[in-house]
Amino acid sequence: MESTQEAPAGVAERNRPRTAERALGFVQQAWRPVALLALLFVAWWVITATGLVQPYLVASPGDTFATIAEKSDYFWEHTLVTLWETVAGFLLASLVGVVTAVIMVYSTTIERTLYPLLLFAQVIPKIAVAPLFVVWLGFGVEPKILVALLMAFFPVVISMVTGLKSIDPEMLQLSATMGAGPVKTFYKIRLPASLPHLFSGLKIGATLAVTGAVVGEFVGSNEGLGYVIQQANGNFDTPTLFAGLVIMSVLGILLFALVEVLEYFVLPWHASRRIDAATTSL
Amino acid sequence: MPASSPTQAPAQMDTSVEIEDVAVRFRTKKKDVTALHDVSLSVASGEFVAIVGPSGCGKSTLLKLVSGLLKPSRGRIRLLGDDVNGPRRDIGYVFQRAALLEWRSARRNILLQAEMRGMPSAAARDRADELIAMTGLTGFEDAYPHELSGGMQQRVALCRALLHRPPVLLMDEPFGALDALTREQMNIELRRIWRETGTTVLLVTHSIPEAVYLADRVVVMSARPGTIDELIPVELPVDRDYGRTMADPEFARATGRIRDLLGAATSAD
Ligand SMILES: Nc1ncnc2c1ncn2[C@@H]1O[C@H](COP(=O)(O)OP(=O)(O)OP(=O)(O)O)[C@@H](O)[C@H]1O
Ligand SMILES: [Mg+2]
């Protein structure tokens, strides 16, 4: 009987690893990519400092960050524009993507009808249709949001459809014996079960949305990071161009990380989150 | 209300489950499989029937038919007086695999039953606590399925199936993942629950002693095509002390007979 009384404590402990333990785990996992990043940085610095390549081809890290500091207002203003386009495009893509996936999973007819169209929308190069959006929607943020949406949409739909279909049929049968209607079955069983898949799609979508927004800006705009990069390119202003690239990457990484954090809180139960103190790493 | 004489012809009592001349064929891309053929069975209200048979003889299929999760290719099924055409909610079902939701704790997995049915939550929580204590899950209410052993997961599934006090309980190898000792305890527990509730039970099992200890009648099936070989009445007293039952000559007779039938069924292959 003693063992059953000790058990709850053990269970609780495994559920909530102590903060320090968690932080340590994070450091253990994070040092490799950080080290790699530092290495790339050093390489970048060596290439430019030794004069191996001309400064107008590759700006040095020093020049790049000096430019960012110097023209911080300028960069901030344009980053906000791109951020807004990206986030709006991504959120719309998530919403439309999830709804489309749900409809497709519940109606085979609609799925068969939509699939070729989806594929068509995916394979057509966005950079080729972006000018058309500018013609239709003007020089404002709308065409950029549309391109970001189109880029992020596909991975969201595909992952959500996969997630909703991966449900164990026996779970649905169980739900039927409980007399649950399709709505209850959906939000208590099917939706939660599909979330791990959805999140992998969202993460891909978030990074693609940044690309989409910038592609939209390349085609026709007078604001945003895409515009900054294009202007810099035209003026042979390599430090500004590199600054734009750096900010763009940071933006993408931040959005990706944001979705990861959200996933961490929404899916504490998922296999990828389990910390089993007793098992050795496999 | 378990009948005093379990061998009594079920027709004289009111029937809870009636399976009439049923056949099931699965059509897959590669071939047609006749899972069940020429199966008839009637189970009296409050009766405990165990189903044994070689793997693949259609035991799970039979339970799915009774619950309305599967339509027969031929024949008719009645449950509690009504024809079964579609999933029935007046049953409790324990699936062969535990089928727990991995994002819910043990208790919340059990309470899923109540949420889906819209049962009053206070009463459901009390009932869940009662079942948790009864099945020895105390201390693991807040554990997630991946933190439970296979046997504990099956017990959670059992609690979930009993939560709404169903008039008919369908169990598909519920104790397959348990160790021998826990299995014995669960058998005693299930027998007690059945006697207290008067629920009609259909239990699929691979354990002959389990079938004989628990049931009023044992259905012995054979494979290809799945059909009922024989119905073995178990003439043991209603009050079944575990140790004494094992030593009962009737127990030896019934298990021996079933073993012969199953042996014959497999050697005929
Ligand atoms: N959905 C299905 N599609 C095709 N064939 C099926 C399906 N379900 C079951 N079968 C076939 O029907 C037969 C009976 O299956 P069933 O699951 O009822 O067997 P069982 O008696 O429960 O076996 P076990 O003891 O191994 O659980 C098997 O031959 C199986 O291959
Ligand atoms: Mg089975």
Side-chain angles (χ1 to χ4, degrees):
Chain A
M1 272 294 102
E2 250 175 50
S3 63
T4 48
Q5 272 164 4
E6 271 166 33
V11 166
E13 219 168 90
R14 254 185 299 148
N15 261 341
R16 294 168 218 92
R18 272 156 282 144
T19 326
E21 220 171 80
R22 219 184 247 189
L24 188 72
F26 182 76
V27 169
Q28 276 171 347
Q29 294 204 331
W31 78 266
R32 281 166 217 273
V34 168
L36 182 66
L37 208 65
L39 205 71
L40 284 174
F41 226 80
V42 170
W44 178 16
W45 179 76
V46 168
I47 285 171
T48 51
T50 54
L52 210 64
V53 288
Q54 297 301 310
Y56 69 86
L57 292 177
V58 177
S60 74
D63 286 351
T64 303
F65 288 101
T67 308
I68 294 178
E70 235 168 73
K71 304 198 277 183
S72 59
D73 286 351
Y74 172 76
F75 281 116
W76 181 242
E77 182 194 321
H78 290 288
T79 304
L80 279 185
V81 174
T82 304
L83 179 66
W84 159 237
E85 293 161 357
T86 305
V87 170
F90 173 62
L91 289 181
L92 283 172
S94 310
L95 191 75
V96 181
V98 168
V99 172
T100 309
V102 171
I103 294 172
M104 280 171 68
V105 166
Y106 280 91
S107 159
T108 326
T109 323
I110 293 183
E111 182 183 6
R112 292 218 181 102
T113 317
L114 274 185
Y115 230 103
L117 198 69
L118 268 180
L119 205 63
F120 176 70
Q122 172 63 10
V123 294
I124 197 163
K126 305 303 171 294
I127 190 122
V129 286
L132 203 58
F133 294 160
V134 175
V135 173
W136 291 344
L137 300 167
F139 275 87
V141 292
E142 293 87 354
K144 289 92 186 176
I145 292 177
L146 191 58
V147 179
L149 189 161
L150 273 181
M151 295 275 285
F153 179 68
F154 196 69
V156 175
V157 180
I158 296 298
S159 61
M160 188 66 180
V161 167
T162 311
L164 287 171
K165 282 189 174 173
S166 68
I167 185 80
D168 179 1
E170 223 151 62
M171 278 320 306
L172 299 179
Q173 296 188 332
L174 176 78
S175 186
T177 68
M178 293 175 164
V183 176
K184 255 189 179 171
T185 306
F186 177 74
Y187 76 84
K188 284 205 190 279
I189 295 178
R190 265 197 126 143
L191 182 65
S194 72
L195 289 180
H197 287 272
L198 174 63
F199 268 100
S200 42
L202 287 179
K203 279 189 261 183
I204 301 169
T207 57
L208 287 179
V210 182
T211 314
V214 173
V215 162
E217 289 165 355
F218 274 167
V219 169
S221 86
N222 42 28
E223 48 181 1
L225 289 173
Y227 166 78
V228 167
I229 290 170
Q230 238 185 7
Q231 287 288 305
N233 208 15
N235 300 335
F236 296 103
D237 182 358
T238 317
T240 305
L241 198 154
F242 268 70
L245 286 177
V246 167
I247 296 174
M248 223 173 78
S249 329
V250 170
L251 202 67
I253 291 168
L254 280 182
L255 271 177
F256 184 89
L258 205 72
V259 181
E260 280 242 299
V261 169
L262 192 67
E263 182 185 29
Y264 190 93
F265 285 106
V266 175
L267 305 176
W269 50 270
H270 193 243
S272 62
R273 291 279 171 274
R274 282 171 209 161
I275 304 165
D276 287 318
T279 53
T280 53
S281 56
L282 297 173
Chain B
M1 1 103 227
S4 50
S5 158
T7 43
Q8 208 166 348
Q12 294 177 9
M13 298 179 264
D14 81 58
T15 41
S16 185
V17 178
E18 225 175 328
I19 300 165
E20 268 173 44
D21 194 19
V22 156
V24 174
R25 253 194 320 280
F26 288 112
R27 279 175 213 286
T28 55
K29 283 193 199 96
K30 289 200 188 106
K31 56 175 181 177
D32 281 10
V33 178
T34 305
L36 287 176
H37 177 72
D38 214 1
V39 170
S40 297
L41 175 71
S42 86
V43 179
S45 174
E47 194 182 11
F48 198 129
V49 169
I51 302 165
V52 296
S55 184
C57 70
K59 304 183 294 295
S60 300
T61 304
L62 194 62
L63 290 197
K64 291 211 165 140
L65 283 176
V66 173
S67 63
L69 292 172
L70 211 65
K71 270 196 179 62
S73 317
R74 224 188 74 187
R76 202 171 76 133
I77 294 148
R78 289 163 71 81
L79 176 70
L80 301 167
D82 305 313
D83 277 325
V84 175
N85 356 285
R88 291 287 290 255
R89 54 173 289 171
D90 40 4
I91 53 164
Y93 206 128
V94 183
F95 285 87
Q96 194 163 351
R97 282 169 294 163
L100 301 179
L101 300 175
E102 49 173 335
W103 57 91
R104 282 176 169 243
S105 65
R107 185 203 303 277
R108 294 201 55 236
N109 258 296
I110 297 170
L111 286 172
L112 180 74
Q113 184 76 261
E115 289 169 31
M116 291 303 212
R117 287 170 188 275
M119 286 162 66
S121 61
R125 272 201 302 276
D126 291 346
R127 173 78 177 144
D129 287 338
E130 198 181 301
L131 289 166
I132 284 166
M134 198 162 78
T135 51
L137 283 169
T138 311
F140 290 91
E141 299 95 328
D142 298 322
Y144 286 89
H146 73 269
E147 297 169 322
L148 298 171
S149 70
M152 287 169 161
Q153 293 180 14
Q154 268 305 352
R155 277 183 268 170
V156 173
L158 177 61
C159 290
R160 184 178 59 192
L162 289 170
L163 190 83
H164 55 299
R165 302 176 200 274
V168 175
L169 184 59
L170 307 174
M171 306 173 87
D172 200 344
E173 297 180 38
F175 307 134
L178 299 182
D179 63 279
L181 201 65
T182 317
R183 189 170 189 153
E184 231 175 80
Q185 283 163 359
M186 289 304 297
N187 281 348
I188 296 166
E189 225 30 84
L190 180 60
R191 176 92 195 162
R192 194 177 61 73
I193 293 168
W194 170 72
R195 290 205 56 199
E196 278 170 12
T197 55
T199 304
T200 309
V201 181
L202 262 72
L203 169 88
V204 170
T205 177
H206 277 294
S207 158
I208 298 171
E210 179 173 282
V212 173
Y213 170 72
L214 284 169
D216 298 321
R217 283 189 300 159
V218 180
V219 175
V220 182
M221 295 181 67
S222 62
R224 262 156 281 149
T227 190
I228 294 180
D229 263 6
E230 205 171 306
L231 298 173
I232 314 270
V234 179
E235 298 183 48
L236 287 164
V238 179
D239 252 325
R240 296 185 190 175
D241 172 82
Y242 201 82
R244 221 170 296 147
T245 304
M246 297 293 129
D248 198 302
E250 165 63 10
F251 184 82
R253 183 201 66 83
T255 52
R257 177 80 191 118
I258 295 166
R259 210 162 272 134
D260 284 349
L261 281 167
L262 289 179
T266 39
S267 59
D269 277 351

